[in-house]
Amino acid sequence: MLTFRRALVAAAFVLTILFLTTRSSSPAVPAVADTFPKAQAFADSSRQASTTAAGQRIDDNARHGANPSRKRPGKKGQQALQDMSKLSLYDKLAYQFPYDVETKFPAYIWQTWKWTPAHSEFDFREQEATWTEQHPGFVHEVITDTVSVHLLRLLYASVPEVLEAYEALPLPVLKADFFRYLILLARGGIYSDIDTYAIRSALEWIPESVPRDAVGLVIGIEADPDRPDWKDWYSRRIQFCQWTIQSKPGHPVLREIVTRITDQTLKRKRAGSLRDVNNKGVIEFTGPALWTDIIFEYFNDDRYFDMSASPGPIDYRNFTGMEVAKRVGDVVVLPITSFSPGVQQMGAKDYDDPMAFVKHDFEGTWKPESERHIGENN
Ligand SMILES: *[C@@H]1O[C@H](CO)[C@@H](O)[C@H](O)[C@H]1NC(C)=O
């Protein structure tokens, strides 16, 4: 009983902070429905590589830009109440957590672990401290399992099927994966696994030449195995990582992955096959394989991108061997060095490289390395 009450108090505390911080920073009138990257931002410059003052470069894939036929809706003031029960889950989430690419990246850092930093068994003090040191002024929360349940109940009260799916997931690693997408969809900011060091402030992750109001998602590369037998070791030819993600609230990639995981989970719950999801299945069910697939689907989705003006579809070839950040529409993809420095393979450079932003230890991810990839990689 005591732990439950403490969890409630902690949840109330987190929510109060959330309430106070979102109050002061969000506009009085919420943006209406779906908003997309402005066509203008991408239409008038062609593909280029530019160098910033900080020396950080970006490969700006401007022509694969936002779909101009889907103009950003104007801010029309109050939104009429909709009968949510008739909407698909995807549309419900869009209604509940609207995406506006022009808002700022929220100053939150979200992490999860079995214990809070105040607990005697919390082993990640050093890692956790780097995030606070590099991000003064950010709200930094390490959320325990008990608190995450309460937090999600409040954030997703109007979308009960999401809560049902979260509660039904049979393994802690599945919940940990799902939680990062849920918190970023609802609140935005940075999610990072607890065993990750911040090497550089997130304020420096995106090259200065990229307007902050044209980007809504920042991701890194986990694996780029340029070898003929890559299938023996990795599930995808390019795998995006999900141990560190930065996003604005409501990003369509997060909306899609939450929809997909919820639908799959509830389908399997009804069919009685949810218990069959074992550690090996995690990578496809909630992990980096699903994350990677959904990002590639987004890049080729004509609801968001003007495919007719694009030089061609996007697949792994557009990201393999990258050494500078690359922007595709409202997504910035960082090179492998940024979130996976020091792995001494696949072209990743060392921790002291200027493009090395976080260091991930694979200790606090609930899953050994062998479960993240198909097998051990030598
Ligand atoms: C992606 O790469 C492929 C093959 O290398 C190329 O044909 C295509 O035009 C590229 N797509 C974009 C949008 O740059």
Side-chain angles (χ1 to χ4, degrees), residues 47 61 64 310-314 317-318:
R47 198 187 165 90
N61 196 343
H64 190 86
S310 163
I314 299 249
R317 289 171 297 179
N318 305 90

Side-chain angles (χ1 to χ4, degrees), residues 10 12 38-39 43 57 73 91-92 97 134 137 170-171 173 183-184 188 201 230 263 271-272 302 319-320 357:
K38 282 187 300 185
R57 294 193 299 137
D91 290 339
K92 265 190 222 179
F97 305 113
Q134 296 279 0
L171 301 169
V173 50
I183 194 70
L184 290 177
S201 164
W230 66 267
D263 287 347
D302 62 8
F319 303 103
T320 188
F357 299 157

